[in-house]
Amino acid sequence: GSEFLPFFAQKIVKVGRDDVLATVYRGKGRSLLALASWAADTAQVQLAVDWTRLGLDPARARVVAPELAGYQSAAAFKPFDPIPVAPGRGWLLVFEPTAGSGAP
């Protein structure tokens, strides 16, 4: 039930770097962001997010990386924090409302 928005076509999340790409799977009230790095060094990525198009209020949203064995450890980021992306690696990040925010 998600809308696939590939890195070359989506305009909801901008990374600001040519060597780190972002693909969005937009759902109702919850979305998944796939980040992938081709940078030579760890990239500190400052995401520019169109929160309205994601259907979220950044003041009541959270960005979490679920633990995925063999891929990523669990992590949480604030909506405007830079995200470190190791060379040749990436993140699967869930954008969702915080508990008690009244969003779906």
Side-chain angles (χ1 to χ4, degrees):
S2 297
E3 179 183 11
F4 172 65
L5 303 164
F7 71 90
F8 56 84
Q10 67 91 12
K11 294 181 170 82
I12 294 175
V13 178
K14 296 180 183 174
V15 179
R17 298 181 60 114
D18 292 335
D19 54 1
V20 179
L21 304 177
T23 292
V24 174
Y25 296 85
R26 181 173 53 181
K28 185 173 175 84
R30 186 174 188 212
S31 295
L32 177 73
L33 174 69
L35 282 177
S37 177
W38 279 262
D41 297 311
T42 297
Q44 294 295 326
V45 175
Q46 185 68 52
L47 301 176
V49 178
D50 185 336
W51 292 97
T52 302
R53 290 181 65 192
L54 277 185
L56 293 168
D57 174 355
R60 298 187 303 182
R62 66 185 196 146
V63 179
V64 295
E67 182 172 350
L68 300 170
Y71 183 74
Q72 68 185 23
S73 298
F77 304 96
K78 293 181 181 169
F80 299 103
D81 282 353
I83 297 172
V85 186
R89 301 286 304 168
W91 287 102
L92 292 175
L93 302 172
V94 177
F95 287 66
E96 63 188 2
T98 57
S101 68

